[in-house]
Amino acid sequence: MKDAGRVPADLVDNGFYGQDIISVSQFDRDKLDYIYRVAHEMRVLVERFGSADLLQGKILANLFYEPSTRTSSSFMAAMLRLGGQIIPINNVQYSSVTKGESLPDTVRTLESYADIIVLRHPEVGSAATAAHYASKPVINAGDGVGEHPTQALLDQFTILEELGRVDDLKIVMVGDLRYGRTVHSLTKLLVNYGVEFAFVSPEILRMPDDVLDVVRQSGHAYTELDDVHNVIGDADVLYVTRVQKERFTDLAQYDRVRDHYIIDEELMALAKPEMCVMHPLPRVNEISYAVDDDPRAAYFRQMRNGMYIRMALLASVLGKA
Ligand code: CP
């Protein structure tokens, strides 16, 4: 906890107060249950009332060194719907970063004005660095190819909302498993549950060893394969990812794998009737637009769930949930 040694009497001692959210490894099943319960309440709140004044008087600094549509705007919407205010820095080229200001000095500046900082940055470990220098809580909104913990939370919340459970499911992840940080975080989070994994990718985009080590050490079964046809019929969750062009140094290599998987109606016909298709978005070409009308396509509901999860996190870290 950063602000104080103990939780002030007027705030909620929920295990999150004053904490940084840097990695999914911070979450056990009790903490996950708590956040999902609060997120569900936030959903009901928004559907019934639109907004509340829970975080009135609080300010969020939203600091994005990399492009974002969903994460950035859903954090802002989450803060605004809870009655708080935001300092949006989505174009760091117009900030003093362009003058050479370091990340530690930038977060020390923003925490002078704000109560909590959300950071997206291209370098692995940048959120941990920012948290080290900041005395206010820092939430990792994606650190390079490292982690994207709030995405993993919203992904798992979506599985719960769509299928009613996380245990005893076959989770099939497809696409860029090497550079896609969302699949790294989600895999590390799902090992808290009784799931079975199938990792489907071209050879050069396989799941990194450090993530597979977590799966192995937790005793979960997994397979690695190239052809999604061989596994889609068993999938309860089909988690599709974009090939991350921006992480490639050799664009010819990107061109060879960019359209390796396209989920279309023909492929969906092989899947279970109650399977759920997810994607962190943005999509480029990997899910056909015709699939959008399939009731199993959960990716737009998943995106909306991001706001509820981020409302739950902001309220919890600020001691109001
Ligand atoms: N899913 C996700 O992180 O989307 P953005 O890059 O638009 O934030």
Side-chain angles (χ1 to χ4, degrees):
M1 189 184 309
K2 290 184 157 182
D3 269 351
R6 62 188 174 79
V7 182
D10 59 330
L11 297 180
V12 183
D13 186 2
N14 52 28
F16 289 96
Y17 172 69
Q19 301 288 322
D20 303 305
I21 306 293
I22 305 300
S23 166
V24 288
S25 59
Q26 294 170 243
F27 292 84
D28 58 21
R29 276 186 82 139
D30 285 345
K31 286 191 163 173
L32 293 169
D33 287 348
Y34 178 85
I35 287 295
Y36 299 146
R37 209 164 52 243
V38 178
H40 189 81
E41 285 168 15
M42 293 299 180
R43 176 184 185 153
V44 173
L45 183 154
V46 170
E47 286 171 359
R48 283 199 190 149
F49 308 109
S51 63
D53 60 2
L54 206 60
L55 296 183
Q56 196 170 27
K58 298 292 182 189
I59 296 178
L60 159 70
N62 212 38
L63 177 59
F64 280 67
Y65 288 74
E66 275 193 334
S68 169
T69 300
R70 277 145 292 273
T71 313
S72 171
S73 52
S74 65
F75 263 116
M76 291 198 277
M79 195 65 181
L80 293 169
R81 284 194 184 272
L82 290 174
Q85 306 280 326
I86 49 172
I87 302 172
I89 304 188
N90 283 54
N91 295 307
V92 287
Q93 69 267 34
Y94 298 122
S95 75
S96 287
V97 169
T98 313
K99 301 175 199 161
E101 187 161 50
S102 67
L103 179 62
D105 281 0
T106 303
V107 296
R108 280 187 288 219
T109 304
L110 290 172
E111 70 172 1
S112 308
Y113 315 130
D115 301 287
I116 186 165
I117 297 169
V118 168
L119 173 70
R120 172 171 288 187
H121 194 280
E123 283 169 28
V124 176
S126 52
T129 303
H132 175 76
Y133 285 97
S135 58
K136 302 277 175 63
V138 172
I139 299 182
N140 182 2
D143 59 339
V145 297
E147 281 214 38
H148 195 349
T150 67
Q151 177 73 42
L153 292 169
L154 80 88
D155 290 343
Q156 200 179 77
F157 179 63
T158 300
I159 295 172
L160 261 177
E161 296 273 302
E162 294 288 319
L163 300 177
R165 69 187 199 285
V166 181
D167 285 310
D168 301 321
L169 297 180
K170 177 137 188 171
I171 313 287
V172 178
M173 297 187 183
V174 184
D176 185 348
L177 308 184
R178 178 180 180 187
Y179 296 121
R181 58 192 169 200
T182 68
V183 285
H184 303 165
S185 286
L186 181 58
T187 302
K188 291 179 189 171
L189 201 59
L190 285 170
V191 297
N192 288 291
Y193 296 80
V195 299
E196 188 186 334
F197 296 100
F199 300 123
V200 185
S201 71
E203 181 65 27
I204 61 162
L205 296 179
R206 285 172 67 166
M207 189 66 95
D209 272 339
D210 65 302
V211 182
L212 291 180
D213 281 346
V214 173
V215 176
R216 284 189 283 261
Q217 281 160 19
S218 62
H220 286 72
Y222 73 92
T223 49
E224 290 184 281
L225 60 165
D226 182 291
D227 191 344
V228 69
H229 289 84
N230 293 340
V231 75
I232 192 165
D234 296 331
D236 297 299
V237 174
L238 185 72
Y239 192 99
V240 187
T241 63
R242 174 179 66 91
V243 178
Q244 310 259 306
K245 181 179 182 182
E246 65 274 26
R247 312 281 181 211
F248 281 75
T249 47
D250 176 358
L251 281 183
Q253 200 175 49
Y254 165 74
D255 283 335
R256 282 198 291 278
V257 290
R258 55 188 285 184
D259 290 330
H260 202 76
Y261 303 106
I262 297 178
I263 309 302
D264 56 16
E265 287 171 298
E266 201 180 313
L267 201 60
M268 289 293 287
L270 305 176
K272 293 180 187 176
E274 71 281 12
M275 183 198 65
C276 119
V277 186
M278 297 173 62
H279 191 307
L281 304 177
R283 91 175 127 182
V284 180
N285 213 19
E286 55 280 351
I287 301 180
S288 153
Y289 279 80
V291 175
D292 295 357
D293 295 330
D294 189 311
R296 295 170 291 181
Y299 30 93
F300 296 125
R301 296 188 290 275
Q302 175 186 359
M303 177 176 67
R304 188 166 176 80
N305 286 337
M307 184 174 73
Y308 306 134
I309 281 289
R310 288 163 180 142
M311 289 172 80
L313 286 170
L314 290 171
S316 300
V317 170
L318 292 171
K320 292 288 189 176

